[in-house]
Amino acid sequence: MAAAPSGPKELPRRRSASQICPPPRRPRTLAEVQPGSENERLGVARDSMVQNPLIAKAELGKPRRSCYTLPGYDFAYGLYLHGADGGVPEAIGHWHSMKPRPPSPREMPRNYVAMNRGALKAGYVTAREFNLYRQLKDIRCNEDDESRFKRAAPKVPPDMTYGILARPSTPFFDLLQHRYKEVWMEQQRAVTMARRVEKKKLQKGKVYETRTTLLRKQPPPVKLDSLWHMPHFQKVGPHLSTFPDREAHKKAFSVYHSEIPVRCGPLAQGIYTAA
């Protein structure tokens, strides 16, 4: 015998939006804080301590709660519009079609060239007469005159290609093989070798100079301050001279002046300086 037909098949029960997307967890309160947890507060405790995002710590194994007080579950976010159009049934039953509006005539700019030409032909030359003529005869530009493409087509070379150039393909093989790094290192090695060769050339012909050679080439200028003399003794010459002649006197003083920078003492008559 054939099996008896079973009853009507039950349709799968649909879950509500609250089950699929549960509401966000409410802010934590002091009553929910368990003793020994990280959010436990001793002494005078307030709910703001638990709801402060800078103080509240995340619970272990649980998603982080929102620290802001949210409205109730019956609160609708967004702007509620009280529509008086009847909704979907009204739109289906009484369809309101939009009537096309005729295009508004475009107001063309004033043709000052034609108005100025007409004013000159009529014999008006002053600014006041020009303004009165423009008020009397308001001449507007034509659409053909306004469009520069209608007057004269743009001159474009025959082999011109519109658009932008395509970007060159990325050299993936050079990127994978670090080719740019190797090229940069080769350039740095070449620069280093060139500097070494130039440094060796300079060192071969280089002559080390001492303080004596520098002083011989360019002795430092010495400012000689004349000694103070009484006015009535200025024209009196020396009565004693320890030099045999005038040439020996000049030679001795020239040596003295040349050794002033390397001798110690206020009169540069001491020992030689070590530097």
Side-chain angles (χ1 to χ4, degrees), residues 15-16 30 104 122 129 155 172 177 187 222 263 274:
R15 294 185 299 173
S16 62
L30 291 175
S104 59
E129 293 174 349
K155 296 182 179 179
F172 287 100
Q177 297 175 0
Q187 293 176 356
V222 180
R263 282 182 175 270

Side-chain angles (χ1 to χ4, degrees), residues 40-275:
E40 182 183 8
R41 296 290 180 269
L42 301 178
V44 179
R46 296 181 297 274
D47 290 338
S48 60
M49 296 181 178
V50 187
Q51 298 174 3
N52 191 343
L54 301 178
I55 301 176
K57 299 181 181 180
E59 300 173 278
L60 181 60
K62 296 181 181 180
R64 193 176 185 88
R65 295 196 184 190
S66 176
C67 296
Y68 300 98
T69 304
L70 303 178
Y73 296 108
D74 56 345
F75 179 79
Y77 292 91
L79 180 64
Y80 182 76
L81 301 177
H82 300 274
D85 54 355
V88 177
E90 184 71 18
I92 295 175
H94 306 81
W95 187 261
H96 296 281
S97 60
M98 299 295 295
K99 296 181 180 180
R101 296 181 179 178
S104 59
R106 182 185 177 189
E107 185 178 0
M108 304 301 294
R110 304 179 72 180
N111 192 350
Y112 289 96
V113 176
M115 288 188 292
N116 293 344
R117 187 186 303 112
L120 289 175
K121 289 181 179 180
Y124 303 128
V125 293
T126 61
R128 184 175 180 277
E129 293 174 349
F130 268 66
N131 293 332
L132 294 175
Y133 184 84
R134 291 170 186 172
Q135 294 177 7
L136 181 63
K137 295 186 177 182
D138 189 7
I139 304 175
R140 298 286 175 170
C141 296
N142 299 329
E143 294 184 1
D144 297 339
D145 298 339
E146 186 185 10
S147 178
R148 65 182 182 88
F149 290 103
K150 291 184 179 180
R151 292 198 306 267
K155 296 182 179 179
V156 181
D159 56 345
M160 179 179 178
T161 303
Y162 292 91
I164 59 176
L165 298 176
R167 188 178 65 87
S169 59
T170 304
F172 287 100
F173 290 100
D174 293 344
L175 295 175
L176 296 175
Q177 297 175 0
H178 302 283
R179 179 60 182 169
Y180 297 102
K181 173 187 173 183
E182 295 176 0
V183 171
W184 182 81
M185 294 183 67
E186 291 177 0
Q187 293 176 356
Q188 296 300 319
R189 293 192 191 100
V191 172
T192 306
M193 292 298 298
R195 289 178 179 176
R196 290 180 180 177
V197 172
E198 185 178 359
K199 188 175 181 180
K200 288 181 180 179
K201 290 181 179 179
L202 294 176
Q203 289 180 354
K204 287 182 180 179
K206 186 176 181 179
V207 178
Y208 292 94
E209 296 183 351
T210 59
R211 185 179 180 83
T212 305
T213 56
L214 293 176
L215 290 175
R216 287 177 181 174
K217 289 183 178 180
Q218 188 177 3
V222 180
K223 184 178 180 181
L224 300 177
D225 297 333
S226 59
L227 301 178
W228 182 82
H229 298 280
M230 296 181 68
H232 58 278
F233 289 134
Q234 287 182 358
K235 297 182 180 180
V236 178
H239 296 280
L240 179 62
S241 179
T242 57
F243 296 96
D245 52 0
R246 192 65 179 174
E247 295 295 332
H249 180 271
K250 291 182 179 180
K251 185 176 181 181
F253 269 86
S254 64
V255 173
Y256 168 71
H257 290 313
S258 63
E259 292 184 353
I260 284 177
V262 295
R263 282 182 175 270
C264 298
L267 299 178
Q269 295 180 355
I271 62 175
Y272 290 96
T273 57

Side-chain angles (χ1 to χ4, degrees), residues 18-38:
S18 61
Q19 294 176 351
I20 299 174
C21 301
R25 305 181 67 189
R26 309 295 296 178
R28 188 186 298 106
T29 59
L30 291 175
E32 301 177 11
V33 177
Q34 299 178 0
S37 61
E38 294 183 352

